[in-house]
Amino acid sequence: PSVEPMLATVSSEAEVTGDDWHYEVKWDGYRGIAVVAGGELRLGSRRGIDFTATYPELRELVEVVGAHAAVLDGEIVALGPDGRSHFELLQNHGSGVAAAHYMAFDLLWLDGESLLERPYLERRAALEGLMGGGGRFVHVPSTFGDDRELALTASRDLELEGLIAKRPGGTYAPGRRSRTWLKIKNVREMDVVVVGWAPGEGSRAGTVGALLVALAEQGGLVYVGRAGSGFTDRGLAEALALLTPLERPDAPLAGVPARDARGVHWVEPRLVGRVSYGDRTASGVLRHPVWRGWRPPTTRSPQ
C-alpha cells in the first residue's frame, strides 16, 4: 500500500518530561517511504515525489529486506566525515561527493499485514528483526531508549540537528501531525556584524526584508548569510533607523554571493546583533538564521 508519513510536532526540551518517552536522532535529509516487494523498490518523498531512480544505491533495501514484502519509513541522508547528516551534501548528490544512506526508523506493513495500529516499541522490534545489521547504505540507527539526559547531552555535544521523542505505546498516524512524536531541534546562537540590508517585498515593502550578516574574525569579516525572520514591525522600523545613517556605496567585505548582494544597501560594519540558527553549510553560511536582537551598545564597531 501507499502510506503517507506521520509527522512530528515541534516541541522543546521543557515540554518533553517524564519517563514515557523514547528518543531517536533527528536526521537532516529527505523523508522517504520505501515499499519493497517481489525484488522491486519504490521510494517516495513526503509529497509523493518518486526518489527511486534518484538514489540508486538505496536499491540495497531489496537485498536487506530479502524475501519479505515491507513498507518502511525513514530518512534519506548524506553523511559527512564527522558522521553527521548534512543536507547540503544530499543536495549535491550525483556529483560523487557523498552517497545517499537510508536511515530506517519505522516498519508500517510486513508481508501483507498492517502494523499501523501496533505500539511504537512493537513496530521498532519488528523493524530490527527484519533489517538485521542493515547494509552499506541501509541502516537501522540505534536509539537512546528512554534515557532523556543521555539523548539531550549527546545531541548537543555531537552537534546533531535534534531529537525525535516518541511515546512507546503510540500508534502510527499516516499523514497526520501527532503529539506522540515530538521534534526537539537544537538551536545555536552567535553574535554577528550587520554589513547590509535587503529591501522587503509584499507586506514588508518599504522596510527591511533581511539583514546581511558576517563574523568578525582575525583576518577580517566573513560573510555568513541573510537573516530575514524574527523581526516584529517595531524591530523592522528600529533596524531601518539604525542602518540608514550608516549606508555606504560598496560592500565592506568580499565573498558575498551575487544572488545575496542583489539590490542590497551596504552599511558600515559597526552594529552587532544576535542570531539563532540550525547549522552551517560547508561554506560557513548559516542555515535558517533567525534574528534575536541587537547587542549593546549598538553603535560600537566590533573591529
Side-chain angles (χ1 to χ4, degrees):
S2 177
V3 181
E4 290 185 66
M6 178 174 170
L7 305 177
T9 300
V10 177
S11 187
S12 66
E13 292 182 19
E15 294 179 87
V16 185
T17 57
D19 300 327
D20 196 26
W21 292 100
H22 279 240
Y23 299 89
E24 299 180 359
V25 171
K26 183 185 183 305
W27 299 97
D28 191 10
Y30 291 127
R31 191 75 173 273
I33 297 291
V35 180
V36 187
E40 297 296 329
L41 167 68
R42 185 175 77 246
L43 188 61
S45 77
R46 173 181 161 186
R47 292 179 171 82
I49 299 171
D50 192 339
F51 280 154
T52 312
T54 307
Y55 305 107
E57 58 267 57
L58 300 187
R59 182 169 171 75
E60 186 183 52
L61 276 161
V62 174
E63 301 171 24
V64 173
V65 171
H68 297 280
V71 180
L72 304 159
D73 192 359
E75 193 88 358
I76 303 166
V77 302
L79 303 176
D82 55 6
R84 295 190 301 129
S85 56
H86 293 271
F87 190 69
E88 183 183 19
L89 288 177
L90 188 62
Q91 288 182 308
N92 294 325
H93 179 269
S95 64
V97 175
H101 293 256
Y102 188 75
M103 302 298 182
F105 52 70
D106 217 322
L107 179 60
L108 313 182
W109 283 73
L110 180 62
D111 296 331
E113 181 181 0
S114 171
L115 305 185
L116 299 177
E117 295 299 320
R118 303 278 187 89
Y120 158 70
L121 288 185
E122 190 174 325
R123 299 196 311 275
R124 175 78 196 190
L127 173 68
E128 293 173 356
L130 173 68
M131 304 287 280
R136 182 182 176 190
F137 304 109
V138 174
H139 319 275
V140 181
S142 299
T143 76
F144 296 103
D146 60 0
D147 194 331
R148 180 180 186 273
E149 292 310 310
L150 173 63
L152 293 172
T153 300
S155 178
R156 287 191 292 263
D157 290 352
L158 297 175
E159 296 185 345
L160 303 177
E161 192 193 3
L163 297 168
I164 301 291
K166 299 183 176 181
R167 292 287 193 190
T171 60
Y172 193 94
R176 286 173 30 211
R177 195 172 297 281
S178 171
R179 291 200 64 82
T180 61
W181 285 14
L182 298 183
K183 178 167 52 179
I184 309 168
K185 295 191 72 172
N186 286 330
V187 177
R188 304 169 180 87
E189 292 193 349
M190 68 164 56
D191 287 346
V192 291
V193 183
V194 177
V195 295
W197 63 276
E201 299 177 351
S203 63
R204 284 168 69 167
T207 184
V208 174
L211 299 181
L212 277 71
V213 297
L215 284 180
E217 298 185 350
Q218 286 187 341
L221 294 171
V222 177
Y223 180 69
V224 293
R226 293 165 54 122
S229 60
F231 292 94
T232 62
D233 290 343
R234 180 178 176 181
L236 291 171
E238 179 187 23
L240 194 60
L242 287 169
L243 295 170
T244 299
L246 299 178
E247 288 196 14
R248 53 182 283 169
D250 58 346
L253 77 172
V256 181
R259 65 180 180 276
D260 287 3
R262 192 174 298 116
V264 164
H265 296 256
W266 301 109
V267 299
E268 296 291 346
R270 297 179 186 172
L271 304 183
V272 179
R274 189 82 170 167
V275 295
S276 63
Y277 63 100
D279 201 355
R280 296 182 70 178
T281 68
S283 59
V285 173
L286 306 180
R287 289 191 62 206
H288 312 304
V290 177
W291 182 256
R292 295 301 181 191
W294 299 101
R295 299 291 275 179
T298 58
T299 55
R300 187 175 63 193
S301 170
Q303 297 178 302

